[in-house]
Amino acid sequence: VSDEAADEWIKRSRSLEFNFVETASWNKCGRPKNAFAVHSDGGAVCVRYRSPNDRLLQGEVMSYWLARLLGLDNVPPAHLSITGSSQWEKLLHWFPELGWTKGNLVAIIMWIEEIDSRP
């Protein structure tokens, strides 16, 4: 993802509502309490939830920015969101199933379809 595309994605992603969310699986966003979500424009994201250890989410965002400073292009863009914000309004009923609490910090990471770590 180019720097320009990443900047645009972060800006847009911060303002879009979420229309769909499902629990994470081994091949979609990983561990329990994470989620796979879709914005109102159809763009997919991984959502990392670490409450009560919200400080661990900082690493997601810092990893992206450090990689960008180092000129690496293999770390997807990420930003933070609050689960009680207007972005999540349509999906509050999912929070108990996800194990989430309203008002907690989450990391939003761009989903890149069919990404593969093999050369």
Side-chain angles (χ1 to χ4, degrees), residues 46-49 57 60-61 78-81 105-109:
C46 283
V47 184
R48 304 269 192 255
Y49 183 95
L57 296 172
E60 297 286 346
V61 176
H79 68 88
L80 300 176
S81 179
L105 195 63
V106 291
I108 309 296
I109 299 123

Side-chain angles (χ1 to χ4, degrees), residues 26-27 73-76 111-119:
W26 71 271
N27 62 343
D73 63 359
N74 60 345
V75 179
W111 173 259
I112 301 173
E113 189 70 39
E114 297 182 28
I115 196 166
D116 193 342
S117 61
R118 290 176 281 166

